[in-house]
Amino acid sequence: MVIHEDSLDAIFGALADPTRRAIVARLANGEATVMEIAAPLSMSQPAVSRHLKVLEKAGLISRSRRAQQRPCRLEAEKLQQVNLWLERYRAIWEMQFRQLDVLLQEMQKNSVDAKKKRADIGARATRSGKKSSRSRNTGSVSKRSQERKNRNSVNESNPFAKRQASTAADKPISKRAGAKTRAQTNIGNEKKGIGRMPQ
Amino acid sequence: MGNVTPNRRRTMQRGTLDMQMEGDRSLRFKRFFEAPPGLVFDCLTKAELVQKWLTGPPPMQMVECEIDAKVGGSFRYAWSGPNGEHRFGMKGTFKEISVPDRIVHTEVFDEDWTGGETLCTTLLIPQENGTMMDLLVQYATPEARAGAMQTDMKDGMSQSYDKMDGILTGMPA
C-alpha cells in the first residue's frame, strides 16, 4: 500500500484532537449517528458535526444517507495509513540503530584486536625471556631479569594496545563526519570508554 | 521486558526496534545491542561516537554534534542534505545521568514541531550478552505526539522513503 503524504497531513491533523480521537474510537465499535456520537461527549450536535466534517475530509469516516439520518462509519483503510506511517518512522530509527550496531561492533573488534596484540607481544616477550635465561643458565639472577623483562613488556604493551584501539576508532570519525561537523568531545573520556570493553 | 519468551528474545537480539505508542502522548522504543551498557552509553553521550551513527537517513548528514553530558549540560544536533538543504536541528538539556544505565534529557527541535519540549528517559538494561535500551519519549501533549509524527516525515525524512522501501521489504512485519 502506498502512503499518500497529503492525505497523511489531513489524517494526522484530524487525529491531533482528543475529541476526534474519541469519535474514531467510538466508531471502531460500529456505525453511529451524530446524536449517538454526541451523547457521551457532552457536546452540542453542531460542535460534533464540525469534528465529523474534519474526519470526513481526511477520509477517516464516511457518512451514508439513511432516511433522515446520516450514520458515520470508520474507513479502516485510511486509519491503516497511520500504522504504515508508524512503521516507516520505526524504520528510520531502525536504520540509525543498525549504524549504531556497526559502530559497537567496530569498537569491540578494535578492543579484541588490541588485546590480541597485547597477548602476542606478551608471548613474544616471554619466549625471548626464556631464551635469555637458557643462554645465561645462571640461577636466581636470570630469573629476576626474566621477571623484570616480562613485567616491562606487559607495561609497554598496555598503553600501546590502548593507543591502537583509540586511534583506530578516532580515524573514521573525522573522515566520515564531514567537514562541517563541529565535534566537541572529551577524547580522554572516549579512550576511557574504549578501554572499558567487555571480555 | 518481564516475560520475554526465548523466541521473542531471539528476535530482539537480532536487533529489531520495537516501537509502541504508550498512553496518549508517549512513544516507547526498545532495542537490543550486542554490547555492554557502558559502550552503548558512550555511543549515546559522546559526540564523536554519536555522529557516527545518528546520521539521519541518507542522503542526510549530521552537520552539528555537541554534547556536554552532565546534569544541567546541554547538547545540540543538526542535520542537512549533502548541499546544506533541508537543514534541521534540535537541542536539549540533561536532567539526570547515571553512568552507564540511565539518561533523562529534554529535547526540542529548532522549529519546535513538537509543540514544546519532549522528555526522554533512556534506560540501558544489562542482559546476558548485551544491552536492552528502553527509551521513553514523552511529548508535551497528545497533539504534540501526532504533530511530531506528521512533521518529522514532511521535513526531509520523506526523501529517503524510496530507499527505505527496499529496507522495509527485507524487514519482518
Side-chain angles (χ1 to χ4, degrees):
Chain A
M1 190 197 261
V2 182
I3 294 183
H4 304 286
E5 284 189 34
D6 292 348
S7 74
L8 261 184
D9 280 0
I11 292 170
F12 276 114
L15 291 176
D17 177 278
T19 303
R20 290 197 286 272
R21 280 197 300 275
I23 293 171
V24 167
R26 164 66 186 87
L27 292 176
N29 296 325
E31 283 190 12
T33 62
V34 179
M35 228 145 73
E36 288 166 333
I37 293 167
L41 295 172
S42 57
M43 245 184 197
S44 69
Q45 278 192 36
V48 170
S49 286
R50 274 199 295 278
H51 283 303
L52 289 175
K53 252 179 212 155
V54 177
L55 289 170
E56 196 177 7
K57 215 173 164 192
L60 283 165
I61 65 165
S62 61
R63 305 174 80 176
S64 54
R65 196 169 280 285
R66 194 168 60 202
Q68 296 304 311
Q69 294 175 332
R70 296 191 63 198
C72 305
R73 60 185 295 260
L74 199 62
E75 290 296 322
E77 196 187 297
K78 279 285 177 181
L79 207 56
Q80 178 64 12
Q81 295 255 315
V82 177
N83 287 334
L84 278 175
W85 185 86
L86 194 66
E87 177 53 26
R88 285 195 152 157
Y89 187 72
R90 198 191 70 81
I92 287 169
W93 275 103
E94 180 55 39
M95 207 158 119
Q96 299 293 284
F97 288 139
R98 278 185 198 170
Q99 298 192 150
L100 178 50
D101 280 336
V102 172
L103 174 60
L104 287 165
Q105 263 170 27
E106 270 173 25
M107 289 167 77
Q108 289 180 102
K109 190 175 172 295
N110 285 337
S111 148
V112 169
D113 288 351
K115 261 189 192 146
K116 238 187 199 167
K117 245 171 219 162
R118 211 183 307 158
D120 286 351
I121 290 164
R124 237 178 288 139
T126 309
R127 271 200 302 279
S128 65
K130 268 179 187 160
K131 254 180 220 161
S132 73
S133 79
R134 222 179 283 133
S135 63
R136 279 191 196 176
N137 208 12
T138 54
S140 59
V141 175
S142 77
K143 218 182 204 170
R144 222 177 293 140
S145 76
Q146 185 190 325
E147 269 171 18
R148 208 181 304 128
K149 258 184 192 163
N150 285 348
R151 204 166 45 235
N152 284 345
S153 69
V154 169
N155 284 345
E156 277 161 21
S157 66
N158 262 337
F160 170 75
K162 239 183 186 174
R163 255 199 314 281
Q164 286 286 318
S166 51
T167 47
D170 287 346
K171 251 181 213 160
I173 297 170
S174 50
K175 286 209 172 142
R176 288 172 46 182
K180 279 184 196 160
T181 305
R182 275 190 281 139
Q184 289 184 348
T185 286
N186 186 335
I187 286 167
N189 273 353
E190 201 210 333
K191 275 180 187 162
K192 209 162 60 191
I194 288 164
R196 203 196 312 137
M197 294 288 170
Q199 295 311 304
Chain B
M1 301 308 300
N3 33 358
V4 176
T5 65
N7 193 28
R8 172 75 171 153
R9 200 157 142 207
R10 258 204 305 281
T11 310
M12 296 294 279
Q13 285 184 357
R14 271 211 310 270
T16 317
L17 174 64
D18 188 53
M19 183 179 145
Q20 304 281 337
M21 293 202 199
E22 195 162 295
D24 66 349
R25 59 184 182 129
S26 297
L27 290 175
R28 189 183 288 276
F29 298 81
K30 280 183 183 167
R31 178 64 151 79
F32 178 85
F33 294 103
E34 261 178 74
L39 217 55
V40 180
F41 184 91
D42 286 347
C43 286
L44 295 174
T45 53
K46 295 189 192 321
E48 294 208 354
L49 297 175
V50 168
Q51 61 187 255
K52 287 179 95 175
W53 67 271
L54 196 58
T55 54
M60 297 297 279
Q61 300 171 346
M62 197 172 201
V63 292
E64 274 183 59
C65 183
E66 295 168 21
I67 305 176
D68 180 16
K70 62 174 190 245
V71 175
S74 60
F75 70 91
R76 165 146 188 87
Y77 303 149
W79 299 265
S80 82
N83 302 311
E85 72 278 21
H86 301 295
R87 189 185 179 96
F88 67 101
M90 67 165 2
K91 60 178 189 243
T93 308
F94 293 99
K95 299 283 175 200
E96 286 176 45
I97 290 185
S98 163
V99 186
D101 53 14
R102 183 178 161 88
I103 306 163
V104 181
H105 73 270
T106 62
E107 63 184 39
V108 61
F109 282 97
D110 292 350
E111 277 83 31
D112 191 13
W113 301 326
T114 54
E117 283 184 343
T118 60
L119 183 69
C120 304
T121 305
T122 309
L123 300 179
L124 299 176
I125 303 152
Q127 299 211 325
E128 209 174 308
N129 44 2
T131 303
M132 181 60 72
M133 185 190 74
D134 181 330
L135 165 63
L136 184 69
V137 181
Q138 190 182 71
Y139 292 92
T141 62
E143 294 74 29
R145 181 177 69 182
M149 291 175 160
Q150 181 189 354
T151 45
D152 269 7
M153 190 191 66
K154 268 162 61 181
D155 289 77
M157 294 293 193
S158 57
Q159 303 164 48
S160 60
Y161 282 171
D162 291 345
K163 280 180 186 161
M164 197 74 71
D165 280 336
I167 293 167
L168 279 171
T169 47
M171 232 158 78

